[in-house]
Structures are given as C-alpha cells and as structure tokens.
C-alpha cells in the first residue's frame, strides 16, 4: 500500500510472508487502524525495533539520568534477549523464563527486577497507545526485592566523623555537616546554588540536583519529586557550614555552593570516594552517603519529632513513604513506645483496684534522707 510522507511524496509499504489474502487482511486492517490512531502497527515489527523507537520517544520526556538507565537496560539487556521476536509474539512465558534464568545464574534480584520493570514500562506505553491489547510483562514474574534495612550511624559516630573531617578536610566536613543537618540528598547538596541560600533568613531552597550522565557529564536536573522542590530550614550549625562553603567557592564560572579546588562543581563519584576514605580513616562502619539522610531522620525520631514533621523536612512525596522507610524506628524510640503502653495499662489497672494513683506517681523516698532522720 502507498502512504503519504512528510515530504509530500507517497511511499510504498510492502509486507509479505502471509499464506493467503485471508491471513493478510487482518494485518492490513490493523495497520490502517494504527495509522489513524497515531502508531505503527507493522505486523512484522520486532521487539527490538519497537524498544528502539520507544527509547527514542522517551529521550525528551525523562530526566537524563533516568533515560541513561533505561537506555542501558534496553540496549544491553532486553534487545539481545527479546529483540528478534515479533512484538505480538512476545508472551509472558518468555519474560518469566528470562527472569528465572537470570536469577538461577546468580544475577542480583535488584538488577533483574529493574530490567523487567523497564520492559513493562515500554509495553505499557504500547497498550496505552493501542499498539498492543495487553502488557505481556504484567504481572511481573518476580516480586520487587525488599531494600536492605539501613542501620545508620549513631549520633556519637556522626560526631566522631565530623570531627575527623574538620581536622583532615574542612571543605568536605561542611558538605557532610549540611547533609546530616538537613537530610538533603547528595545530588541536592551538590546542586545547591548560592542564590538559593539565604543565611539571614535561615532557609535554603532546593531547586536542582546535580547528576553525572554515564558517570561523566555533569548536568543540573529537577529534584526527585515535586515535593522535593521546596524550602529547607537551617540550624545554626548548618548555616555556619554553608557560610564557610560559600566563602571558599569564589569561582565566577558557576554558582555552586560546593566546589572543588579547581572551581568546578564537585563530581558525585569523587565525593563518594572521598567520603569512604574519610570514613575508613575515622574507623567507622560502612554506610553510604545516602545513609546520612537516614541518620538525620533517625536523630529527629530519637528527639521525639513526629513522623509528619520528619516527612515534611525530608520532602517525601507522601507520609506513607516516610513511615515505610522508617518503620523499624530505633531501639530507643521503640522501647519508649512500649514503656508508654505499659505505664498506661498499669495506671488503668491501678484505678480499677482502687489504688491511690497519685501515690503511685509520687517519687520513692530517698533512703539517705530516711537514715539521716
């Protein structure tokens, strides 16, 4: 059949391989319906061809870091495995077999899950645009792996780390002081601009996050979620650290608060390496820089700050996100909770027995004073 092109010339589309006209007719009808709805319903389109087109369409819709991750999964994982199959032939058993094979070979569950989730996203787009009648990757043939329970440093360990950094590398000490004191994500701290910091008002505004594309090109992108783009209050410690950092960042080439000795923004990978160097020097257990964000939340929980306030401070998208991440709480907070329950039950039982509740609440007599009497 002939179809129009952008140049105005007609171009011919030929598809063969059908046994007879009855078999070719449904494919022709499907192809014409697809053109009316705005998608290509080529009956011979392969999974590889579709994923390549989908990836190109996503390039300007996704954050650069997300697009890079999708590109890796599509080009290095999905196309080599499923690329030669016709799109309509891709079935759930193909995807399930791939998942089982990968897991049985010792591949990490997180890596396999992310590959499958990328495929599901691509096929979901095909369903929404009426290219496919259903998503063959749904339901996924494996559950989402649970994240490892994070065990952040204690307040004492955080103080030890910051003290060591001030002695060895004051510039990085200020960076980690800001992350621990506010719960910023690493990219948000590295992407912080001077004009977004108002020391006198004790507030800063999160407007960017610094990311490395392919671990090389540095780009400023939007924060992780809509609620991440918000204001963050500053304590005296954090305000002082930001003042020192801005005093050092004298380069006029950029407005980053945290800069390297060359005046350029700090590379996330370099910050990660330096963090672990300083951590090992201080003799502290392994944590990630992101765990410093969890440390900030844990310190607030131990100070009896409500979960709702912590959620606002960390700028989570929902309160349930905060509750799920920190459902384990800490030992001190959990013990305080069960002791409060115990005290309340004992008080009600005492009232039921007619015991003098006020007497129970009075402090016990000091034996030193009784002997003196």
């Amino acid at each position: 059949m002939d179809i129009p092109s952008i140049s105005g010339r007609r171009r011919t589309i030929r598809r063969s391989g059908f046994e007879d006209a009855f078999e070719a007719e449904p494919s022709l009808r499907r192809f014409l319906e697809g053109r009316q709805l705005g998608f290509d319903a080529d009956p011979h389109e392969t999974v590889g061809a579709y994923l390549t087109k989908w990836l190109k369409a996503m390039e300007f819709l996704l954050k650069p870091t997300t697009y890079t991750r999708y590109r890796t999964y599509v080009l290095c994982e999905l196309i080599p495995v499923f690329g030669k199959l016709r799109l309509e032939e891709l079935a759930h058993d193909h995807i399930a077999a791939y998942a089982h094979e990968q897991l049985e070979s010792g591949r990490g569950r997180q890596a396999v899950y992310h590959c499958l989730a990328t495929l599901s996203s691509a096929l979901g787009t095909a369903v929404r645009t009426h290219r496919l009648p259903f998503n063959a990757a749904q339901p996924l043939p494996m559950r989402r792996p649970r994240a490892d329970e994070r065990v952040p440093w204690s307040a004492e360990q955080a103080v030890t780390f910051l003290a060591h950094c001030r002695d060895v590398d004051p510039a990085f000490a200020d960076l980690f002081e800001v992350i621990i004191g506010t719960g910023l994500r690493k990219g948000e701290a590295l992407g912080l601009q001077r004009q977004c910091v108002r020391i006198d008002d004790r507030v800063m505004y999160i407007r960017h996050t610094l990311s490395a594309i392919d671990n090389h090109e540095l780009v400023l992108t939007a924060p992780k979620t809509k609620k991440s783009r918000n204001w963050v209050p500053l304590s005296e410690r954090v305000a002082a650290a930001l003042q020192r950092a801005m005093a050092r960042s004298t380069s006029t080439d950029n407005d980053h608060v945290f800069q390297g000795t060359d005046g350029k923004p700090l590379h996330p990978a370099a910050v990660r390496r330096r963090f672990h160097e300083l951590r090992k020097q201080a003799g502290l257990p392994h944590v990630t820089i992101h765990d410093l964000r969890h440390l900030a939340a844990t310190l607030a929980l131990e100070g009896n700050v409500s979960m709702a306030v912590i959620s606002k401070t960390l700028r989570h998208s929902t309160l349930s996100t905060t509750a799920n991440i920190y459902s384990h709480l800490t030992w001190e907070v959990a013990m305080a909770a069960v002791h409060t329950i115990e005290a309340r039950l004992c008080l009600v039982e005492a009232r039921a027995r007619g015991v003098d509740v006020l007497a129970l609440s009075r402090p016990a007599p000091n034996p030193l004073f009784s002997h003196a009497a």
Side-chain angles (χ1 to χ4, degrees), residues 2 24 31 54 61 68-69 89 162 185 237 265 288 293 330 336 358 363:
D2 291 339
F31 183 82
W54 173 79
L61 297 177
T68 301
R69 188 169 64 250
E89 289 178 343
L162 291 173
R185 300 175 178 90
R237 288 176 63 116
T288 66
R293 176 173 166 84
T330 61
L358 292 177

Side-chain angles (χ1 to χ4, degrees), residues 53-240:
K53 288 194 304 184
W54 173 79
L55 190 64
K56 186 176 181 179
M58 292 292 105
E59 184 173 3
F60 301 109
L61 297 177
L62 300 173
K63 292 176 63 175
T65 49
T66 306
Y67 172 77
T68 301
R69 188 169 64 250
Y70 277 18
R71 184 185 64 194
T72 300
Y73 292 141
V74 168
L75 299 182
C76 301
E77 302 282 347
L78 299 176
I79 289 181
V81 176
F82 305 111
K84 294 182 179 180
L85 285 172
R86 286 179 53 244
L87 185 59
E88 281 82 4
E89 289 178 343
L90 180 63
H92 189 271
D93 59 347
H94 296 133
I95 300 170
Y98 163 76
H100 284 92
E101 178 186 341
Q102 292 290 304
L103 293 174
E104 290 172 359
S105 67
R107 185 86 182 277
R109 295 183 64 85
Q110 287 282 359
V112 177
Y113 177 83
H114 287 308
C115 287
L116 296 178
T118 302
L119 179 60
S120 177
S121 178
L123 297 180
T125 300
V127 173
R128 288 191 298 274
T129 57
H130 309 286
R131 175 66 183 86
L132 289 175
F134 61 89
N135 185 342
Q138 286 294 334
L140 288 178
M142 62 178 292
R143 292 183 179 180
R144 181 169 188 167
R146 286 191 177 187
D148 295 335
E149 184 174 323
R150 298 184 179 275
V151 182
W153 286 336
S154 64
E156 291 75 17
Q157 289 172 319
V159 168
T160 299
F161 175 72
L162 291 173
H164 174 73
C165 290
R166 292 190 198 100
D167 293 338
V168 176
D169 197 334
F172 274 88
D174 290 333
L175 170 62
F176 298 132
E177 183 82 60
V178 171
I179 293 177
I180 294 174
T182 60
L184 290 188
R185 300 175 178 90
K186 177 181 63 177
E188 292 171 345
L190 298 181
L192 188 62
Q193 308 285 291
R194 297 173 68 93
Q195 62 269 23
C196 295
V197 179
R198 299 183 181 178
I199 299 295
D200 294 338
D201 298 329
R202 292 295 186 268
V203 67
M204 62 182 172
Y205 298 90
I206 306 304
R207 295 294 180 263
H208 307 94
T209 183
L210 183 69
S211 304
I213 305 301
D214 291 331
N215 204 32
H216 174 67
E217 180 186 358
L218 294 181
V219 295
L220 282 176
T221 60
K224 184 176 181 180
T225 65
K226 289 183 179 179
K227 287 198 174 182
S228 297
R229 192 178 189 275
N230 212 326
W231 56 269
V232 177
L234 306 178
S235 65
E236 295 299 324
R237 288 176 63 116
V238 172

Side-chain angles (χ1 to χ4, degrees), residues 4-81:
S5 63
I6 298 177
S7 63
R9 298 178 179 177
R10 300 188 68 82
R11 60 191 181 98
T12 302
I13 298 294
R14 293 183 176 88
R15 293 295 180 265
S16 59
F18 304 100
E19 292 186 1
D20 51 38
F22 292 103
E23 184 181 348
E25 180 66 28
S27 294
L28 174 61
R29 187 167 56 250
R30 174 70 173 155
F31 183 82
L32 294 174
E33 290 174 354
R35 286 191 53 77
Q36 291 178 342
L37 294 173
F39 63 86
D40 182 3
D42 183 349
H44 295 328
E45 184 177 28
T46 63
V47 174
Y50 171 75
L51 289 177
T52 301
K53 288 194 304 184
W54 173 79
L55 190 64
K56 186 176 181 179
M58 292 292 105
E59 184 173 3
F60 301 109
L61 297 177
L62 300 173
K63 292 176 63 175
T65 49
T66 306
Y67 172 77
T68 301
R69 188 169 64 250
Y70 277 18
R71 184 185 64 194
T72 300
Y73 292 141
V74 168
L75 299 182
C76 301
E77 302 282 347
L78 299 176
I79 289 181
V81 176

Side-chain angles (χ1 to χ4, degrees), residues 293-327:
R293 176 173 166 84
H294 296 290
L295 169 62
T298 302
L299 294 177
L301 280 170
E302 291 175 346
N304 294 322
V305 178
S306 71
M307 192 72 77
V309 173
I310 292 174
S311 182
K312 281 285 187 181
T313 304
L314 297 182
R315 293 159 294 114
H316 282 153
S317 56
T318 62
L319 178 59
S320 61
T321 301
T322 313
N324 290 336
I325 294 175
Y326 302 106
S327 58

Side-chain angles (χ1 to χ4, degrees), residues 324-340:
N324 290 336
I325 294 175
Y326 302 106
S327 58
H328 61 283
L329 299 177
T330 61
W331 176 256
E332 292 81 4
V333 176
M335 286 300 295
V338 296
H339 285 157
T340 300

